[in-house]
Amino acid sequence: MRFKKLLSVLMIMLVIISLAGCGGQKSSQNQEQGQSSDTKHGGTLQDALGSDPPGLDVQQNSMLETYYMARLLFSTLVRYKGSTTELEPELLAEMPTVSSDGLTYHFKLKPDLKFSDGTPLTSKDVKFTFERMLKPETKAINQWVFEPIKGAKAMEDGKATELAGFKVINDREFEITLESPYAPFIQNLAVPCASIYPAEATQKAGEEWTLNPIGSGPYKIAEWVHDDHITLERNPYYFEKGLPYIDKINMRIIEDEATMTMEFENGNIDILAIPDSEYPRLSSDPNFKKMIVENTPLNTYFYVMNENVKYFQDIRVRKATALAIDKNKILKELLNNRGIVAKGLLGPGIPGYNENNPGFPYDPEQAKKLLAEAGYPNGFEVENWQAKNETFYKRNVAIQAMLKQVGIDMKIVQMDSASWRQSRNNGKVPIYLANWWADIPDPDNYMYNILHSSQTPLWSLNYKNPKVDELIEKARVSTDMNERIKMYQEAEKIAIYDDVSIIPLFHIKEYYIVQPYVKNVQFHPTGIGSYNYRTMWLEKK
Amino acid sequence: MISFIVRRLISMIPVLIGITLITFILINVVPGDPVVNMMGKRVDAQTIANIRHQLGLDRPLYIQYLDFLFKAVRGDLGRSFYNHQDVMKTILQRFPTTVKLSLSSMAVAIVIGITVGIVSSVKQYTFVDYSSMIIALMGISAPVFWVAIILQLIFGLKLKWFPISGYSGIQSMVLPAIALGTRFAATIARMTRSSMLEVIRQDFIRTARAKGLSERVVIYKHALKNAMIPVITIIGLQIGGLLTGSILTETVFSIPGLGRLSIEAINNRDFPVIQGTVLFTALIFVFTNLIVDISYSFLDPRIRYDGGES
């Protein structure tokens, strides 16, 4: 009898242990896979923005906060698949077909699409969105996404009221014709500023649209108390059934980085991009260390030397400056190795990234020699103008010390961002630390916007090489990706290694800290509008 | 009294016009174009020209100013360049928050400042006096943001007694009120002490004591009331300063007040919001000073504004 009792107890224990074991295995599997049948609906995500969005009309501004909110409120025709740079249809039923001449695109929308107010989303709304962006009275600033379309220029000039290259076939189908082939056109349609607006509601809202827009994204605005919080709730008409998982998002506006970090530590914020100043502390704390998630967005940090400044007109001086900066040291000491040293303008993840680029080694002796050859054996004085930013200031101070060693006396002048932007756009800044975060993962986005002579004055770079211009212009209209890559790599080699137009410094990584109950955190590849909120879920709450 | 108030109100008009004119000149002289700032990293000359035209920034400056002035007289401060919100509406939305923060911090400052000031003056040259004045000196010297972060760390993060940031009820106002009020408490304490010491040495106080009045009555009824004139002046000036100078506190504690609105507007070169907040702030200053002047006559019967002896 006693033996039987013992046997039954043992059996029960065995069952419990095996069940527990199964549970454990399942849990770890889920964590590895990210998404699983364990996904939960409901709860409120506590999130924060660094400043109040200056309006939510993505056609009228491209501030980070606006783009960030756009990912929640609106949808685009195409989007990036998870965290990859591969495009997939969002509002479209399938990827568009392109005519053999690369000029005409045929689009078909998903059936039964609706905006968050329940009104249907049709081809007419898409046409309205495109035309609104191009009309001068919209005061839009992001026309670039639709500019390759035939007739866009005429609309921008106020010479046409309709977009000639946009043809509505029926409620779900439409055709777009470009002025000339433009390879990254489909990529442009995935940028938040290409979000689709409802024609009727937008017109009705007038100037107020930017404060309370309606979209077809996973969430809609429930409340916006400026400079305090924005509450978002699920869009009941969202076209992806079952998504999003989280019912509500409470987006607090917290400007001060230290305050934001304390709120995370107190459990009042669930997810946070770690401020630079807080990274060393959080990454060395055993509790917080395991909550840190890494993201590799597409960006390049580089030094701009204004070729209108007499010293920088001499390539030897530009090269000497490049050789005088110890990029590895800055990366190690100031960035805690959060990134890699850049050897070109194009970084990893961008087609055309050339990992075989030689880079500019740290060689102060050679730098001194070059300066002497250029007629500056005792160096020279130059002003670095920079918008006030603690992180940039520290990096500039490090570079200042390095340049000083070869005789270049760089004085750092900090300005407020509005003044600095104007000076930069007027081509007046002598030397500064710049960065580019890709809008789209296409080399044209970097090469044209930074190195084409039509753009370089706006960067205070004032670099001009007709050969580089020609290669960039040819590459952007070619539809053969391999051919494009070759042209971009050649242009990059000429601009950076033959001409030393800019000094590539690094491609930085972003670090986020996430409460353990927030699951399936994925990031957008461009880093703009960071998280994929629609697939994130909360294990508790 | 009424004619004094009317005179003062009329004298406000040139002051306010002067302030708006100086602000208008400054925002147009200081580098930083609102449209360029709006455009961020992408710049296109045609787009800039178009937006400047749409916003009326391509008109001659004197027309822009007169347009602002005539509209302002009618209570229309225009719309923000960024979110197109009505500026007057935005200011009126933010103002109550800033008033609550300013009044609560002023309450903290008055209670602490006057108490410490009285105790120090009564216990002059004692340990209490020296330590109070050293603490007051530290209070004046400590930057607001530093006090704010220390309070957040101790009472928000470690002890969890109060919210670290945000604006949600009285509890969320405690730390910002202390952070903002500390410096003013120190100023008030020092002013109260010196003013009290001056009054305590006067003949009428000796008389009061000679009459056999208790020390409590002498200090609180006779000395304190007379010592309050300079203190009230300081408080009056500081209320104006508090209403407008709470930018750092509002930023650190994420409070959606007028200070944050104005600093964001300056950073973004949002001209209508800058003009609106400056005009509104100037009005607050001017009215606060008027109220302070009127309050003198209640505190000191010798002060009369209607042609009487002053």
Side-chain angles (χ1 to χ4, degrees):
Chain A
M1 192 69 179
R2 197 172 276 178
F3 175 73
K4 267 189 178 175
K5 257 187 178 175
L6 191 70
L7 197 69
S8 52
V9 168
L10 277 172
M11 287 290 283
I12 291 166
M13 281 176 69
L14 201 68
V15 170
I16 291 170
I17 290 167
S18 58
L19 279 175
C22 289
Q25 199 177 10
K26 196 178 167 193
S27 163
S28 63
Q29 262 177 4
N30 292 342
Q31 278 189 347
E32 278 166 26
Q33 289 168 359
Q35 199 167 355
S36 77
S37 56
D38 276 359
T39 53
K40 282 182 185 167
H41 282 88
T44 301
L45 182 84
Q46 301 292 341
D47 200 355
L49 284 174
S51 69
D52 204 43
L56 296 174
D57 187 342
V58 276
Q59 297 192 343
Q60 288 181 339
N61 84 69
S62 52
M63 298 286 180
L64 270 181
E65 292 75 20
T66 306
Y67 270 29
Y68 195 93
M69 293 297 296
R71 295 278 189 209
L72 290 150
L73 301 171
F74 306 113
S75 304
T76 42
L77 295 174
V78 290
R79 69 178 177 208
Y80 296 106
K81 201 173 182 177
S83 297
T84 70
T85 53
E86 190 190 332
L87 285 175
E88 66 174 11
E90 182 157 52
L91 290 173
L92 295 180
E94 62 221 29
M95 290 303 281
T97 52
V98 193
S99 64
S100 55
D101 58 3
L103 282 173
T104 307
Y105 291 70
H106 181 266
F107 296 84
K108 189 174 186 181
L109 295 168
K110 282 189 170 79
D112 304 320
L113 290 171
K114 281 180 178 160
F115 289 104
S116 61
D117 61 351
T119 55
L121 188 161
T122 68
S123 303
K124 284 174 194 142
D125 295 300
V126 181
K127 184 170 186 267
F128 165 79
T129 304
F130 282 41
E131 288 178 345
R132 182 182 185 268
M133 174 83 93
L134 298 164
K135 281 180 184 165
E137 57 267 31
T138 305
K139 302 189 281 277
I141 63 162
N142 288 316
Q143 297 92 328
W144 64 274
V145 284
F146 303 141
E147 260 168 2
I149 302 171
K150 193 175 177 183
K153 189 84 180 76
M155 282 203 76
E156 283 184 80
D157 293 342
K159 290 176 188 158
T161 51
E162 277 200 77
L163 185 55
F166 197 110
K167 189 175 139 201
V168 173
I169 298 169
N170 58 41
D171 276 357
R172 283 183 58 204
E173 288 175 78
F174 56 92
E175 224 168 59
I176 291 176
T177 307
L178 305 187
E179 199 73 61
S180 55
Y182 178 61
F185 178 63
I186 294 297
Q187 304 264 11
N188 282 11
L189 304 180
V191 182
C193 57
S195 297
I196 305 303
Y197 289 175
E200 207 183 317
T202 313
Q203 283 167 310
K204 204 173 154 193
E207 292 271 39
E208 301 286 322
W209 172 253
T210 191
L211 295 168
N212 194 15
I214 292 161
S216 55
Y219 291 91
K220 60 178 187 168
I221 297 174
E223 185 184 44
W224 184 0
V225 178
H226 290 277
D227 268 336
D228 191 61
H229 70 272
I230 304 173
T231 307
L232 301 148
E233 58 190 20
R234 288 184 64 171
N235 168 9
Y237 300 103
Y238 188 54
F239 57 87
E240 284 185 276
K241 298 296 165 216
L243 294 179
Y245 295 112
I246 298 168
D247 282 346
K248 261 187 177 181
I249 297 174
N250 186 28
M251 198 74 78
R252 291 181 56 194
I253 316 295
I254 304 177
E255 276 182 50
D256 189 69
E257 289 179 344
T259 306
M260 211 191 262
T261 313
M262 278 190 259
E263 290 286 20
F264 179 87
E265 289 180 54
N266 248 10
N268 300 328
I269 288 179
D270 295 333
I271 189 163
L272 168 78
I274 303 177
D276 264 25
S277 54
E278 299 285 353
Y279 181 80
R281 182 174 69 84
L282 294 176
S283 61
S284 57
D285 183 307
N287 283 329
F288 294 125
K289 199 177 174 178
K290 54 191 176 201
M291 299 182 196
I292 292 177
V293 183
E294 183 185 286
N295 181 33
T296 309
L298 307 171
N299 63 57
T300 304
Y301 282 69
F302 52 98
Y303 236 54
V304 168
M305 296 163 289
N306 189 340
E307 292 191 22
N308 280 356
V309 171
K310 74 166 182 178
Y311 309 112
F312 298 126
Q313 281 166 2
D314 191 322
I315 189 177
R316 290 167 296 188
V317 174
R318 299 202 295 271
K319 196 166 183 190
T321 313
L323 296 174
I325 301 172
D326 188 348
K327 296 115 201 142
N328 282 307
K329 195 169 183 183
I330 297 171
L331 194 66
K332 193 178 163 206
E333 306 286 336
L334 282 179
L335 279 96
N336 301 89
N337 285 321
R338 290 175 294 150
I340 58 166
V341 168
K343 293 177 177 174
L345 183 59
L346 305 177
I350 298 287
Y353 165 63
N354 189 353
E355 58 185 337
N356 297 322
N357 274 340
F360 290 101
Y362 176 55
D363 192 346
E365 291 313 312
Q366 179 64 14
K368 279 183 199 166
K369 221 187 246 176
L370 284 167
L371 283 177
E373 277 175 29
Y376 306 109
N378 301 316
F380 56 87
E381 281 180 22
V382 66
E383 281 190 353
N384 172 315
W385 296 2
Q386 200 81 57
K388 243 183 186 171
N389 176 310
E390 184 67 21
T391 309
F392 274 44
Y393 180 71
K394 282 182 187 166
R395 291 171 193 170
N396 275 325
V397 168
I399 291 170
Q400 182 187 41
M402 289 165 186
L403 295 182
K404 182 87 183 158
Q405 284 186 350
V406 299
I408 301 173
D409 190 2
M410 185 175 81
K411 190 179 163 202
I412 300 167
V413 179
Q414 293 204 83
M415 310 166 94
D416 73 286
S417 62
S419 308
W420 178 78
R421 274 187 183 148
Q422 195 177 13
S423 306
R424 181 199 59 184
N425 297 346
N426 290 342
K428 304 277 184 214
V429 181
I431 184 169
Y432 69 99
L433 172 60
N435 66 83
W436 182 263
W437 287 62
D439 303 291
I440 55 171
D442 190 278
D444 181 70
N445 192 249
Y446 286 77
M447 299 295 286
Y448 182 82
N449 284 309
I450 298 167
L451 295 175
H452 192 271
S453 63
S454 64
Q455 306 296 308
T456 58
L458 306 167
W459 285 86
S460 281
L461 177 57
N462 295 308
Y463 166 70
K464 190 174 184 175
N465 184 328
K467 178 70 186 162
V468 171
D469 283 357
E470 189 194 328
L471 284 164
I472 291 172
E473 282 159 19
K474 271 189 185 167
R476 70 186 338 216
V477 296
S478 165
T479 47
D480 180 343
M481 197 52 173
N482 290 330
E483 196 187 22
R484 292 184 68 213
I485 286 174
K486 269 187 203 163
M487 288 190 266
Y488 285 125
Q489 286 185 337
E490 194 187 341
E492 190 184 44
K493 186 190 155 290
I494 298 169
I496 293 176
Y497 289 99
D498 296 351
D499 294 345
V500 197
S501 58
I502 57 164
I503 307 169
L505 295 175
F506 27 75
H507 308 290
I508 66 161
K509 288 180 181 178
E510 284 183 317
Y511 288 82
Y512 293 84
I513 187 157
V514 183
Q515 301 285 7
Y517 47 80
V518 182
K519 299 294 175 188
N520 198 30
V521 177
Q522 291 180 356
F523 302 93
H524 284 285
T526 56
I528 298 168
S530 290
Y531 321 119
N532 261 323
Y533 287 93
R534 47 183 247 291
T535 50
M536 208 186 267
W537 81 86
L538 301 172
E539 204 166 60
K540 65 161 206 174
K541 285 189 173 180
Chain B
M1 176 67 84
I2 291 169
S3 69
F4 167 76
I5 294 173
V6 171
R7 274 203 313 276
R8 283 290 297 266
L9 288 173
I10 292 169
S11 71
M12 279 179 193
I13 296 169
V15 172
L16 293 174
I17 291 175
I19 286 168
T20 55
L21 185 61
I22 291 169
T23 313
F24 183 80
I25 293 168
L26 280 177
I27 55 178
N28 280 286
V29 165
V30 168
D33 184 271
V35 182
V36 171
N37 194 57
M38 215 178 272
M39 294 197 65
K41 62 181 180 179
R42 277 176 194 280
V43 190
D44 167 53
Q46 192 195 342
T47 307
I48 290 176
N50 169 45
I51 298 176
R52 286 185 69 83
H53 176 69
Q54 299 286 341
L55 296 174
L57 291 169
D58 55 352
R59 295 173 300 165
L61 286 181
Y62 72 92
I63 290 183
Q64 289 182 45
Y65 176 69
L66 290 175
D67 185 40
F68 163 78
L69 205 60
F70 289 129
K71 282 182 177 163
V73 170
R74 296 195 300 268
D76 177 8
L77 296 175
R79 281 178 176 267
S80 157
F81 285 167
Y82 281 81
N83 60 24
H84 312 307
Q85 246 190 331
D86 183 86
V87 175
M88 182 60 104
K89 200 172 141 195
T90 310
I91 290 174
L92 293 176
Q93 274 169 358
R94 302 294 186 97
F95 188 57
T97 312
T98 302
V99 169
K100 275 183 208 164
L101 174 62
S102 306
L103 292 183
S104 49
S105 60
M106 190 42 87
V108 168
I110 290 172
V111 170
I112 298 175
I114 294 184
T115 313
V116 171
I118 294 170
V119 172
S120 289
S121 62
V122 174
K123 308 272 182 196
Q124 196 188 7
Y125 302 137
T126 63
F127 173 74
V128 176
D129 181 26
Y130 288 130
S131 49
S132 308
M133 285 305 106
I134 287 171
I135 292 170
L137 188 66
M138 284 165 65
I140 290 172
S141 317
V144 174
F145 70 88
W146 181 81
V147 176
I149 291 171
I150 297 296
L151 290 171
Q152 282 177 322
L153 274 173
I154 298 171
F155 299 104
L157 188 61
K158 298 288 174 201
L159 299 172
K160 301 188 197 303
W161 288 357
F162 300 104
I164 292 171
S165 67
Y167 179 60
S168 52
I170 298 168
Q171 230 192 350
S172 65
M173 278 300 198
V174 175
L175 297 185
I178 297 171
L180 188 59
T182 307
R183 174 174 260 205
F184 298 115
T187 310
I188 292 171
R190 288 172 69 85
M191 182 56 76
T192 307
R193 180 183 177 272
S194 60
S195 182
M196 279 289 285
L197 286 173
E198 202 178 303
V199 172
I200 282 169
R201 292 190 191 110
Q202 305 247 340
D203 290 345
F204 72 92
I205 293 292
R206 198 176 303 125
T207 312
R209 283 188 178 129
K211 281 197 301 188
L213 292 178
S214 70
E215 190 62 15
R216 179 186 286 265
V217 174
V218 171
I219 295 297
Y220 290 104
K221 202 169 171 190
H222 293 264
L224 184 60
K225 196 176 172 189
N226 283 286
M228 277 296 101
I229 298 277
V231 179
I232 293 286
T233 309
I234 288 287
I235 291 172
L237 288 174
Q238 286 181 351
I239 284 182
L242 279 174
L243 285 169
T244 54
S246 51
I247 294 164
L248 281 175
T249 316
E250 287 179 8
T251 304
V252 175
F253 288 102
S254 302
I255 297 169
L258 213 51
R260 256 170 96 190
L261 178 73
S262 50
I263 202 76
E264 278 163 18
I266 293 167
N267 286 338
N268 290 333
R269 300 291 192 272
D270 195 345
F271 291 172
V273 182
I274 299 175
Q275 292 266 49
T277 46
V278 170
L279 180 62
F280 191 80
T281 308
L283 269 169
I284 299 291
F285 255 103
V286 174
F287 274 108
T288 314
N289 283 339
L290 178 64
I291 293 165
V292 169
D293 285 350
I294 295 167
S295 71
Y296 288 159
S297 66
F298 291 102
L299 283 166
D300 189 345
R302 290 171 299 178
I303 298 173
R304 287 285 178 273
Y305 290 115
D306 286 336
E309 181 195 352
S310 62

